[in-house]
Each structure stands twice: as structure tokens, then as C-alpha cells.
Amino acid sequence: MRVTITQIKEMKQKGEKIAMLTAYDYSTAKLIDEAGIPLILVGDSLGMVVLGYSSTIPVTMDEMIHHTKAVVRGATRALVIGDMPFMTYQVSVEDALRNAARFMQEGGAQAVKLEGGEIMAETVKKIVSYGIPVMGHIGLTPQSINQLGGFKIVGKTPEAAVRMLNDAIALDEAGAFAVVLECVPEPLSKLITESISVPTIGIGAGKYCDGQVQVISDLLGLYTDFMPKHAKQYAKLFEIIKKATADYIAEVQAGTFPTPKQSYAMDESVLAELKKSSRKH
Ligand code: KIV
């Protein structure tokens, strides 16, 4: 049985912490699903950690749908959330609804995520009213990186903190089933968590959030261009991958790979017949 938004909301009431990870492909989704992750975000961070862009801004709906489909094929238990890319939900509520529906119909996701607080409340309300669960995302919103002036902590001044609290309340009232808090001072995320009815999922927002999210490539040590302070490397796959590749190159060059174990045999009589007939030509 797939995890539902009702179960996720109940986790907050029961005081159970929620773990969420990003995934972008079938194999990774299958592994983290088998490991028991309840929430998988097909994040537009894929633009940076998978596609090699310098921000999430160039990511398109078609790219997101392509990767969401792969993740949904791999994850049979986790709730899969599609991350709405830049300018696919801001221009009009109709656009937002149409693109959210694409995540569900074409991608097979069970929910969508979008960035923005109060300003997105009407849009969230509309999408939710048509049966599509929405996760909000406030604090550092990477799609607004040019306006924010870089990847930095948000909500440090009294005005910014009040604005963020109001954003969280507006998303809760609009019907969002959870809200991501990214790069938010811990005391502010604690206050927000206590002030809204739905779970907060933190990334660089401290320990008081109802849940945590990490980018899988940071967690596994696969993306080494940039490592945010809030990311924790639970494995160093870059070392394992580089060593495995170097070992492979060395064995191919030395002629020690492949061995009979990786090769396919052929019946001697068939080979003899083949050699005989090839001599006739
Ligand atoms: O795109 C993403 O991976 C995200 C998470 C960092 C929350 O939005």
C-alpha cells in the first residue's frame, strides 16, 4: 500500500518524524523505497545534480515528467511528489492546474510541490480543490535565486521572519498537506512548526521541523560541485565510483578483464563447422 497524505499529516499529530529524500531515476527510487522512505521528491534540483545546470531555472516540465515516471516505476510504497519547475505555475492559476495535472496523469506522481507562500495561496487552493495534493516550499526558494542574491539563509530580520510565518499559515489555510522550510533559522522554523497544522519538512531549518529532506546526491556523496552546510554525507560514493572506474580501466588495459566468468562459451563442434565452412569461401 502506498503512503497517503493522511498518514503523513497524522505523523505530525503523533509526533513521528518524517524522512523525505529526493530521487530522479528508477534504480535509486527502488532502493530508497525498499529502505523504507515514506516520501520521495522528484526535485527540480535534478537540474543541478543530474543535468549539470548551474541552477534549477532551466528545468522544463518535460524533463520533470520524464524523471517522475522513472521514479514512480521504482517506488511502489513511497508517496511520490513532483516538483513544479520555474514558471510552470506562476503565470496563471490555469497554467498551474494544467501542469500539476500533468505530474499526476503523465508522471504518475501522487502530489506536487511548488515554491512561494502567501502569493501562491490561491493557486494552491485551486490545485487542491481539484484533488491534487500540494506541498508548499518557503524560505530559500531556489527558483528565486536571482532575486534573493544567492543561496543564503532567509528570515533573519523581524520583517522577513513575520513574512515567512504568514506564508506558512497561508499555505496551511490554502490546503497544502506539508510545507518545506529551506535555510531557515532554527528558532523561526520551530515557531512555524508549532503554528501550523500540517507537517514542516526542513532542509537547513534545524531539528524542530516535523520532518527532514535531503538531496540524495548530497547524502550519498555523488554530487561534489557544491556541498551546502546543511547537507550530511552518509556515504562517499564518489570515492567508490572513481576507484571502480580506475580499476576497470586498468584491467581492460592489462587484458585481465573480461575473464571466462564474464564471457560466453560456444559448442566446439559448432565452431569447427563454422571454421570449415568459412574456409570454403
Ligand atoms: O528540488 C529539490 O530537491 C528541493 C528540495 C531541496 C526541497 O526542492
Side-chain angles (χ1 to χ4, degrees):
M1 271 285 282
R2 208 181 271 281
V3 173
T4 64
I5 61 159
T6 309
Q7 287 170 316
I8 296 298
K9 288 195 272 190
E10 279 170 3
M11 285 174 84
K12 176 172 178 130
Q13 309 313 324
K14 293 184 199 155
E16 290 172 17
K17 293 281 188 183
I18 305 159
M20 172 161 122
L21 277 174
T22 67
Y24 316 101
D25 65 273
Y26 167 82
S27 312
T28 312
K30 189 161 186 277
L31 288 172
I32 65 174
D33 191 56
E34 284 170 3
I37 200 83
L39 287 179
I40 298 181
L41 171 69
V42 188
D44 65 351
S45 50
L46 89 88
M48 298 173 77
V49 301
V50 174
L51 303 177
Y53 298 134
S54 60
S55 77
T56 59
I57 291 172
V59 177
T60 66
M61 262 315 282
D62 286 345
E63 284 167 340
M64 289 304 300
I65 295 290
H66 178 74
H67 287 270
T68 303
K69 279 177 165 175
V71 168
V72 169
R73 284 193 289 266
T76 54
R77 186 185 155 274
L79 182 100
V80 178
I81 304 151
D83 204 4
M84 300 193 69
F86 183 59
M87 284 302 142
T88 63
Y89 56 95
Q90 294 95 333
V91 176
S92 70
V93 174
E94 289 71 25
D95 252 15
L97 188 56
R98 199 171 300 116
N99 286 318
R102 280 194 69 191
F103 268 108
M104 312 295 278
Q105 265 188 323
E106 295 175 45
Q110 289 81 49
V112 297
K113 176 173 85 60
L114 52 80
E115 296 182 6
E118 232 171 333
I119 196 168
M120 295 312 304
E122 276 316 302
T123 303
V124 171
K125 211 178 209 168
K126 185 78 166 185
I127 299 174
V128 171
S129 75
Y130 281 96
I132 302 175
V134 179
M135 175 178 271
H137 182 162
I138 55 176
L140 169 62
T141 44
Q143 292 172 13
S144 306
I145 202 70
N146 294 304
Q147 182 68 24
L148 294 170
F151 292 95
K152 46 172 116 148
I153 305 292
V154 185
K156 280 171 131 179
T157 64
E159 300 76 32
V162 168
R163 213 167 31 241
M164 206 187 305
L165 179 59
N166 289 337
D167 280 340
I169 293 169
L171 288 170
D172 186 8
E173 287 174 356
F177 75 94
V179 179
V180 169
L181 303 180
E182 181 165 357
C183 292
V184 176
E186 191 170 80
L188 176 57
S189 65
K190 182 173 187 287
L191 180 65
I192 293 174
T193 301
E194 289 163 355
S195 305
I196 64 174
S197 70
V198 293
T200 55
I201 310 287
I203 174 160
K207 64 178 180 185
Y208 297 105
C209 294
D210 299 301
Q212 300 292 328
V213 56
Q214 289 275 289
V215 170
I216 189 80
S217 321
D218 293 336
L219 185 111
L220 297 179
L222 272 172
Y223 180 70
T224 52
D225 290 7
F226 168 67
M227 185 73 177
K229 173 178 152 62
H230 55 256
K232 179 171 173 188
Q233 232 171 44
Y234 285 78
K236 293 189 187 305
L237 290 195
F238 67 94
E239 279 176 7
I240 294 171
I241 292 171
K242 279 189 182 173
K243 183 174 178 319
T245 307
D247 288 351
Y248 167 69
I249 294 169
E251 287 193 7
V252 169
Q253 287 174 343
T256 54
F257 175 85
T259 67
K261 200 175 169 197
Q262 292 92 27
S263 306
Y264 301 99
M266 190 178 181
D267 204 81
E268 282 297 331
S269 61
V270 177
L271 192 58
E273 191 61 38
L274 180 69
K275 282 180 181 164
K276 225 184 333 168
S277 69
S278 67
R279 259 183 245 120
K280 286 184 197 148
H281 297 293

